[in-house]
Amino acid sequence: MEIRTSEKYCILTPLSPRMDGYSSLRLYDEIKEYSHLIVGIDLAYVRECTIEFIEMLRNLKSVSLFNIPSDIFALINFMNLDKELSLFVSEPDFKENKRRLLNRRFRVV
């Protein structure tokens, strides 16, 4: 896991292509350690995840995700986690807190 910190931000980059229970626990411990900073998770190397990762995200509402693969993004939207988490396309968007990904679920009446 790669950890980059600055005076305001902590960016955690899991280097494993699969986020399972063990990886999620390690990530959770690191997030708790840097909870005094704005925490972002870079999912550029992650290709799949398990339910433990989704449940960890559900319990942590103060993290932001960026560089999300399409499969994981679809899963996050399907489970309505996009309403609880901040989702961004890239790291500059996360740092500027602009251009957040939203799923508005419009319906035709």
Side-chain angles (χ1 to χ4, degrees):
M1 180 178 318
E2 180 183 345
I3 302 170
R4 293 180 288 151
T5 59
S6 66
E7 53 193 48
K8 278 177 46 173
Y9 301 105
C10 174
I11 297 175
L12 303 168
T13 306
L15 300 175
S16 171
R18 183 167 193 244
M19 290 301 295
D20 54 3
Y22 176 73
S23 300
S24 299
L25 185 60
R26 285 186 56 215
L27 187 63
Y28 182 80
D29 292 340
E30 293 296 333
I31 291 170
K32 288 298 181 186
E33 184 176 332
Y34 293 103
S35 62
H36 61 283
L37 300 172
I38 300 171
V39 178
I41 302 173
D42 183 1
L43 296 177
Y45 298 109
V46 178
R47 294 293 161 240
E48 61 181 292
C49 65
T50 61
I51 192 66
E52 289 88 4
F53 178 69
I54 299 296
E55 289 299 321
M56 188 250 334
L57 289 177
R58 187 170 289 209
N59 293 332
L60 295 170
K61 298 182 192 301
S62 62
V63 298
S64 299
L65 303 175
F66 56 93
N67 291 334
I68 308 166
S70 61
D71 296 341
I72 298 174
F73 181 67
L75 186 63
I76 288 171
N77 282 332
F78 183 72
M79 297 184 75
N80 290 328
L81 287 176
D82 58 325
K83 306 299 183 213
E84 300 173 13
L85 300 171
S86 298
L87 307 175
F88 298 97
V89 174
S90 63
E91 184 177 339
D93 292 345
F94 162 69
K95 286 185 175 179
E96 296 171 7
N97 198 16
K98 294 185 178 180
R99 295 177 290 280
R100 188 173 165 200
L101 292 172
L102 297 175
N103 185 3
R104 303 210 188 248
R105 302 187 201 280
F106 291 120
R107 299 199 188 267
V108 177
V109 282

